[in-house]
Amino acid sequence: LNKIFKNIMVVSLSKKKKFIADGVFFSELNEFLSRELSEDGFSKVEIRKNPIRTELIIKTTRTQAIIGIKGKRIRELASLIKKRFHFGENKLELYVEKVIIRGLCANTQAETLRYKLLKGIAIRRACYGVIRSTMESGAKGCMVTVSGKLRAQRAKTMKFMDGYMIHSGNPVNDYVQTSTRHCLLQQGVIGIKVSIMLPWDSTGTIGPKMPLPDVVTVFEKNESF
């Protein structure tokens, strides 16, 4: 991997290798930040590239915790990323952006559920609490799946759902946010999956701009006298 990233900076790659290197860079960066900032409400990371430098926008619910005292923590993160991916001087910039509505972020809700289970809260109570907070935030639908050795020795899967959820078609890519987490308990590993269906938003702030293809709007006829 180190050879690939060094080649990106020095030699122009073929399109195929460039796409592979970009995908590896994003997945490794996302994995590192999700582990490092899991307690600080990490949601996702956006990469914006231009000829001068690469910009990383970290979206989180607690911006001050990531920035740190006098920007100490964000500088440490930037230094680690620069060393790992061989960025030159002034070639990488890190920015922090606050998540507008926490309840509509699948990563944040999955992390919240994980911490609830680690504290020993009953599974049903924890799952319904996450679903309630998500639906109160304006989501169209929410589904929480928990699997593993929940109460007995035999592993099983429990699903909790509320609202409206789509499972097929292209709108799934725009409307449904999914996040998976693993909770290490005494009896074994519990798998957590949170799916949130976002509402339609004409401004594109809290949901996708594109309306669902099966939604029909009937306008009233204007009568002219």
Side-chain angles (χ1 to χ4, degrees), residues 98-109:
K98 193 174 178 67
V99 173
I100 299 167
I101 302 173
R102 179 179 172 159
L104 294 179
C105 177
N107 285 325
T108 309
Q109 294 295 71

Side-chain angles (χ1 to χ4, degrees), residues 1 4 20 37 41 45-47 53 55 60 62 73 78-79 84 101 104 108 116 121-122 140 147 195 220:
L1 287 179
I4 293 173
I20 292 167
L37 308 174
V45 61
E46 282 184 10
I47 302 169
R53 61 177 177 266
E55 296 176 355
T60 177
R62 296 170 59 196
R73 193 176 185 196
S79 177
R84 170 64 190 88
I101 302 173
L104 294 179
T108 309
K116 280 184 177 181
I121 297 172
K140 249 192 162 184
S147 58
S195 298
E220 290 184 7

Side-chain angles (χ1 to χ4, degrees), residues 61-209:
T61 54
R62 296 170 59 196
T63 53
Q64 197 55 46
I66 291 177
I67 294 167
I69 301 164
K70 295 180 181 178
K72 184 184 175 183
R73 193 176 185 196
I74 198 165
R75 284 198 302 271
E76 287 175 355
L77 287 169
S79 177
L80 284 168
I81 294 166
K82 278 179 185 176
K83 285 179 182 177
R84 170 64 190 88
F85 298 108
H86 308 288
F87 280 100
E89 196 65 33
N90 300 323
K91 290 289 183 183
L92 181 74
E93 287 289 334
L94 253 69
Y95 300 101
V96 181
E97 190 179 308
K98 193 174 178 67
V99 173
I100 299 167
I101 302 173
R102 179 179 172 159
L104 294 179
C105 177
N107 285 325
T108 309
Q109 294 295 71
E111 205 64 49
T112 304
L113 180 56
R114 180 171 160 265
Y115 279 108
K116 280 184 177 181
L117 295 181
L118 286 169
K119 284 180 182 177
I121 297 172
I123 290 167
R124 281 180 186 273
R125 186 182 166 192
C127 291
Y128 280 123
V130 166
I131 288 174
R132 188 173 63 251
S133 69
T134 303
M135 296 304 289
E136 284 172 0
S137 299
K140 249 192 162 184
C142 180
M143 185 171 71
V144 177
T145 308
V146 184
S147 58
K149 289 198 277 188
L150 304 177
R151 281 182 290 185
Q153 277 296 105
R154 180 83 180 204
K156 64 176 181 177
T157 302
M158 293 174 76
K159 279 188 181 180
F160 305 89
M161 190 174 171
D162 193 12
Y164 175 63
M165 180 72 66
I166 56 173
H167 300 277
S168 63
N170 190 55
V172 171
N173 301 325
D174 300 323
Y175 276 88
V176 180
Q177 270 192 19
T178 306
S179 181
T180 307
R181 290 289 183 275
H182 299 93
C183 184
L184 277 67
L185 298 178
Q186 192 175 1
Q187 66 265 31
V189 180
I190 302 289
I192 299 163
K193 187 179 178 183
V194 177
S195 298
I196 297 171
M197 183 164 172
L198 302 172
W200 173 74
D201 183 18
S202 58
T203 60
T205 310
I206 60 169
K209 283 184 180 180

